[in-house]
Every structure is written in structure tokens, then in C-alpha cells.
Amino acid sequence: MAKIIQHWVKRHSFNLNTLYPKVALMVAAEFWEQGDLERTVLDQQPIVSLWRSVLLLERSHCDKSSNPRFSDFVDKQTGYTTKNILAAPLMNGKDPLGVVMAINKVGGNEFSKADEDLFTKYITFATVIALQHYTSYMYNVESRRSQVLQWTASKVFEELTDIERQFHKALYTVRTYLLCERYSVGLLDMTKEKEFYDEWPVKLGDVEPYKGPKTPDGREINFYKIIDYLLESKEEIKVIPTPPVDHWALVSGLPTYVAENGFICNMMNVAADDYFTFQKEAVDESGFVIKNVLSLPIVNKKEEIVGVATFFNRKDGKPFDEQDEQITEALTQFLGWSVLNCDTYDKLNRTEWRREIAAEMVIYQTKATPAEVQQILVRHHTSSCFKETADCDQREMYKLLRANIPEAKDVDLLLFSFSDLPVSELDLIKCGIRCFFELGVVEKFKVPAEVLTKWMYTVRKGYRDITYHNWRHGFNVGQTMFCLLQTGRLRKYYSDLDAFAMVAAAFCHDIDHRGTNNLYQTKSTSPLAKLHGSSILERHHLDYSKTLMAEESVNIFQSLQKRQFETVQHLHDVCIIATDLALYFKKRTMFQKIVDATEPMADEKEAIAYVSNNPIRKEIIMAMMMTGCDLSAITKPWEVQSKVALMVAAEFWEQGDLERTVLDQQPIPMMDRNKSDELPKMQCGFIDFVCSFVYKEFSRFHKEITPMFDGLNNNRVHWKELADIYQAKVDAIENERKRLEEEQAKKATGEDGGEGGKSKTCTIF
């Protein structure tokens, strides 16, 4: 087409210097304005005739005011003076393909009618060539689009297990059809609500709340992973988890802007852009310089932005055009919709995992039977309720239940030194029921006596018969929580409902424990690890406790109002998840600040108001109480602690054996029974690194809890003595080994030197 125009210009003495973008847009705008008028005023579909689209723009004597539509933008930029223009559009039916302009007639002040007629004839040929080029270009575009969608579809349905792998496979496969030098995909964190323990520092004012940009659905914009496809020379793919803010694809702020607003952004000239902070120089050691950028959101079926795809530098050097936008938009839309496949697959998997876990629970656990309940709710001939339990008045049932459970003072329930070792498991169930009566919550919250008994018995049966994390440990944690509230006088910060929920959660905190820790669940790829991403066992214990709440016959919270029941469930969340020691170091600094704040308060009412009027402080103390309860065996009298420590170690060694035999891995020293002699030394380290802080701070917080700290220190003395004895034996063995080595070395030296160390060649007189 260009050759035809040039030939025509040479023959007819026209000066064709350049194509003016502003003038071309002006011509097209006039056509569109007429079309709008035909639609709105005449109610007709506009038809633009090629022959009527030739415009003659004359500027007599260079008078710029002769035609108000003319823009002198290019003249000012280039210094060229435009006197007259002959322009015509190249049409494809109703759609303009472009504009041809002849500028400044040579040898004349204006284009004549003959010039227009001749120009129109050449425009006919130019249109044919333009249509040929346009058809070829659109064929290429549609071919690319179909290839992109076809290959994307094949890879999307090939990978259903993981959205990251799904995106990666699809985007890598279509790289040859995208015609760009680089592209980068940022995956957004889909978390809408933070964990409650991550919100504590913000709510306490220790950490500034997030003030950055958010997605349209309210999520904080956090690119948790970036996948870079570097195609400008040697193909290279880089996967960057938790990318830094100065990553070359993010530093401009464009992906964040797209994620915030959901816009498609086509930056045709990065160097001239002032809104975003693009790097004007090379972005890395390869010398790659960003020239133009096309960035699009990846949106799923729920209209949530799950990521941002950004394409850099079209290969032919031109800016990305409308066709590029359509191809990449189709790609990102397809990827966004395909997220539904991953979500559905994940939901199916989670359903299957829950079914497996539920089936395992059902097989292993059963609810308390009537015969087992009657072991506690036994009726005497002297009782006024000598009839079926269902026919008894609830007050009579309470009286009957109280008569069959021990008094708190008779079994030392209110002492931190309580030991379960001389108590039978059935009697521990009775002692657990006594705790609730002592709290005064049974009658206040209308807990049926039979339901309370069934619940307590079912919780006991929920614990597996394993070495340490069994019902006895579960009871000890519940008893310690009860003791902290009553004897430790922490009850004053909490309502009766809080105390009810806290003690119940403490009894359930390790229910259905398997005798192995969270790390083993992950390594062995157990269904629990697949279901829960963090605090694996703790979340399982929580789910189990809520399962009991869903069963009417064993739900001790059945008489609560809806809001009260929701409070109980939330407190179970706080208490049971808090027993994960991995979270211990997150919460202990916050607890220490509360202790520092209340310690100088002389007025008890001031301290109570400081804690009880702030729900977050109450939860932090509650969480630390659960840690103190869970570790309380370390504070018991030495006669008890030494036995319990051996049970804990035995369970660890059993896990170590599993790691060797099942996982074919070497266990850590704490789990290695071959290093059992180092138990005293490891106990001292555990006390110093983990336990000491808990009980020291609690003894500062409430002096009534000091006996626990004293017990801890006393046990450390005993463990240190045993550790020193063991170390002395190790040192003696080492010294003996060195002595034998030295003797062997001396003998070897004597043999080399001859008999008695004398020379065989010289005699000294």
C-alpha cells in the first residue's frame, strides 16, 4: 500500500512527509460523530461510504484558524508547518482500518477537485492492499487465540491438584503464542480473615493495622508467589515464593494497581509514564529494559482476583495492541474460570479426608453406654430417686450425682500438687464432674446430670490408650485449669460461662491424640495433615470437641442461648489451638506486657478492670493458662514428675521408632531411645527454654500460683543432679579412653625405637 501511495505522490507532486496520529483520530472522530447522530436522531444504522469520506482540509495563507478541527501538536513537536491536508479513510465495510493523508501540495496552495478524484482512485487500490494485510493479520490473531485457548484448556484439565501448577503448565505451554519477551504471574493470597492470634498485636495497639491497598472483595494485596517467564534469549523460569517488594515485576506498582482495581492496563510507552515507578534502566544482569507492558487481573468464577498476569515488551518492538489485549484477556479469563476445577477438586478431597477421619473416629470411639453412665449415676435404696433416670426430677438427679462423686478437698482437687497416679480412671471421671459443680455452672446453665455424666465419660473414651497423651493427661490439664481459676484466683477476670468453657476445653484439649506430634503427621502425609495446614493435631482435637457439641445426648452446652453457644465455641478455639507450642513464642511477649502492666497496680479492682474489660487481654491470659496447664506435669512433686517424665519420654521414643521403621528417617535426639541416658540434660534444657518463663510470669501475675514455679525449680535441681552424674560418667569414660590411647601411643613409640628405646647402631660408654 505504501508503494502505491508513494508512486501516486511522485506523479502528482505531493509532499507526503508523515502520517499524523492526531489528524487521523480527528477524521475518524468525525465519522463516529455522524454515525452517532444517524443512530440517535434518524434512528438508522449508519453507513459510511468510501467515496464521501475524502476530506479536504485547506489552510489558506497558513492561517491556523481557518479550520478549527486541525491540531498543531505535531507541528510544534517537529517544527514542520502544515498548510493543507488531503485525507481519506481506508474502510472495511463499516469499520475504518486507517487513514491516508497527503500533506502540503507542491506548487499550489490547495488541493484541487482533480486531485481529490485522482487521490480517491489510488485509495481504492490502497484499500484492497490494506484489507489483504488486515485479513492476514486477523487470521494470525485468531490462530494465536485458538492455539492459546486450546493448549491452555488441555493443560488446565490435565492438572487439577494445585492452582499454582495448573497456571504454570498452561502459561508455559502457550509462551510461543504470546509474542512477548517476558511475562510474570503474581498469585494473590486468598485469605480474607486472619487467625485470631495474629490479630491480637493489632488490637492491642502493638502493631499498626494494615493500611495498604486491598482487592475489590476486601483482601489485603499480598503476592505470596511470583512466577517469571524469561523468554528474551535463553528460556528461563523462576519461581519466587514470598517475593520482595522490590522484585522487578512488582516494583512499579502496576500489578498492585491491577489487583486493587481489576483494570486491564496497557502501558504503550513505559519511559514516558510518570504514574508508576517503572525501572528506566536494566532490571537485572541480563540487560533487559522494560519498554511496554500489558497487565491483566486473573478473576475466578466468584469474581475474586486470584492473581495478576503482566506481559513485557512485544517481540516486534511495537506496543501491545487491542488484539494482544483480547488474546491475553481470553487467556486470563480461562485461567480464572479454571480455578473452579481446583476448588471443586479440593472440596472433594477435603470431603474424602473428613470421611476417612470420621470413619476412624467412629470405629475407635463410641459414646458412653447406659451401663457405663450407671456406674456413676448409681441409685441407692435410700435415694428418693429410686427409679429410671429419665423419670427423675433434675434436682433429684443433681443430688444423686453429688452423692456419688468425691468432695474436692478429699482428693486434693484444689491443689497444684494433685496427682492422678493413685486414682482410678473411673474416679477421675467423677473428679471431673466435681470440678463443674465446684465452679457452680451445672445448675446455672441447666446442664442435665445424665448429659454431664455422658459427656465426661465420652471424653474419657475419646482419649486413646497410649503412653502419655491419654485420659490421665487430659484430666490433669482440666484439673490444673480448674485449680488456676479457683486456687490461683484467676476466676475474677472471667465470667461463669468463660470458666465453664475453659475447663471443658482443657479436658478435651488432646482428645483422640495419636501418640505422635504434628511433624510426624506431616511427614507421614496422614489425612489430618492433608486436612489441616497448621496446628494439625490441635485442630483435630478442636473438631472432635465440637463434634460432641453437635451431639444432643452429650452436649453439655445444649441449654445455652445462640450467642452464648457461639462464645463457648470461640473460647474452645482459643484454648485448644493455644496448646500448640509452635504458637507459644508468639503469645508470651504479649502476656509479659500484661503482667508488667498489672504488677504495680495496688488496687485489685484496677487490675481486674484492666484485664476483664479487654477481651483480647482475657484471651491472651487464657491461652497462656492453657500452656501452663499442658506443661503442668513439670511442676508436680518430684515423685510424680520423675514418673511422668519417663512416660513422656517413652511416647517420644515410640515415635522415634516409627520414624526409623516407617519413614526410614533418623529421629532427633529427644525421640531417639538410644540417647535415653541424656534425658536429665534434655529436661533441664526444656525447663530453661520453655517452661521457666510460663510459671515465673504467672507467679509474678498472681502470687497464689507461686507453688507451680517452686515445684518447677525443685524438679530442675533434681534433673540437674542426674545430668551431672551422667556427665561425670561420660567424662570418666572419655578420660579412660584418652589414657588408653596415650598408653598405646607410648608403646608404639617404644617399638619403633628398639629394645628399651636403645639405639641398635650406637653404644654410649
Side-chain angles (χ1 to χ4, degrees), residues 443-508:
E443 296 182 27
K444 178 174 182 177
F445 296 109
K446 300 177 182 178
V447 185
E450 186 175 7
V451 172
L452 177 60
T453 306
K454 280 185 178 180
W455 180 85
M456 204 77 224
Y457 215 116
T458 303
V459 170
R460 179 265 167 272
K461 295 183 72 176
Y463 280 88
R464 301 190 179 194
D465 293 327
I466 53 181
T467 307
Y468 175 68
H469 287 96
N470 49 38
W471 161 237
R472 289 185 176 275
H473 169 68
F475 175 83
N476 276 314
V477 173
Q479 183 271 334
T480 306
M481 176 62 77
F482 166 73
C483 206
L484 284 172
L485 289 169
Q486 300 294 94
T487 308
R489 298 186 64 240
L490 297 178
R491 175 78 178 272
K492 61 187 178 183
Y493 304 118
Y494 298 100
S495 66
D496 289 341
L497 183 63
D498 294 340
F500 187 16
M502 290 162 70
V503 174
F507 281 129
C508 292

Side-chain angles (χ1 to χ4, degrees), residues 231-245:
L231 311 174
E232 66 269 23
S233 55
K234 181 181 178 181
E235 290 187 0
E236 186 178 2
I237 299 172
K238 294 182 179 180
V239 179
I240 301 99
T242 318
V245 292

Side-chain angles (χ1 to χ4, degrees), residues 603-622:
D603 187 2
E604 184 181 17
K605 292 182 179 179
E606 182 183 1
I608 294 174
Y610 178 78
V611 173
S612 59
N613 292 340
N614 189 311
I616 304 301
R617 295 192 187 109
K618 287 172 63 178
E619 289 182 9
I620 292 171
I621 296 172
M622 186 185 305

Side-chain angles (χ1 to χ4, degrees), residues 480-624:
T480 306
M481 176 62 77
F482 166 73
C483 206
L484 284 172
L485 289 169
Q486 300 294 94
T487 308
R489 298 186 64 240
L490 297 178
R491 175 78 178 272
K492 61 187 178 183
Y493 304 118
Y494 298 100
S495 66
D496 289 341
L497 183 63
D498 294 340
F500 187 16
M502 290 162 70
V503 174
F507 281 129
C508 292
H509 85 285
D510 266 339
I511 195 168
D512 198 44
H513 199 289
R514 281 89 195 286
T516 51
N517 62 14
N518 285 335
L519 184 58
Y520 183 84
Q521 306 303 320
T522 302
K523 289 180 177 179
S524 61
T525 63
S526 70
L528 286 178
K530 295 174 182 176
L531 180 60
H532 305 297
S534 62
S535 303
I536 297 168
L537 285 169
E538 289 74 20
R539 294 188 188 280
H540 175 58
H541 307 322
L542 176 62
D543 286 348
Y544 199 116
S545 68
K546 290 183 176 180
T547 300
L548 299 183
M549 295 183 200
E551 181 62 40
E552 188 72 14
S553 63
V554 292
N555 181 16
I556 57 177
F557 306 108
Q558 60 183 243
S559 300
L560 299 181
Q561 297 175 358
K562 181 180 179 181
R563 179 162 293 185
Q564 289 177 316
F565 187 72
E566 290 172 351
T567 299
V568 166
Q569 288 197 316
H570 173 67
L571 295 183
H572 271 65
D573 292 346
V574 174
C575 289
I576 296 179
I577 299 299
T579 59
D580 183 359
L581 275 181
L583 307 177
Y584 163 67
F585 296 99
K586 285 188 175 183
K587 65 194 178 190
R588 73 179 200 171
T589 304
M590 293 182 278
F591 176 63
Q592 191 174 41
K593 289 182 179 179
I594 295 174
V595 176
D596 291 340
T598 56
E599 191 175 28
M601 294 180 183
D603 187 2
E604 184 181 17
K605 292 182 179 179
E606 182 183 1
I608 294 174
Y610 178 78
V611 173
S612 59
N613 292 340
N614 189 311
I616 304 301
R617 295 192 187 109
K618 287 172 63 178
E619 289 182 9
I620 292 171
I621 296 172
M622 186 185 305
M624 192 59 73

Side-chain angles (χ1 to χ4, degrees), residues 103-132:
I103 302 169
N104 289 3
K105 181 174 181 178
V106 177
N109 293 328
E110 62 181 25
F111 292 100
S112 64
K113 184 67 171 65
D115 294 330
E116 292 182 37
D117 294 340
L118 190 59
F119 186 69
T120 299
K121 294 177 182 179
Y122 277 89
I123 286 297
T124 303
F125 294 101
T127 301
V128 172
I129 297 173
L131 282 173
Q132 182 181 4

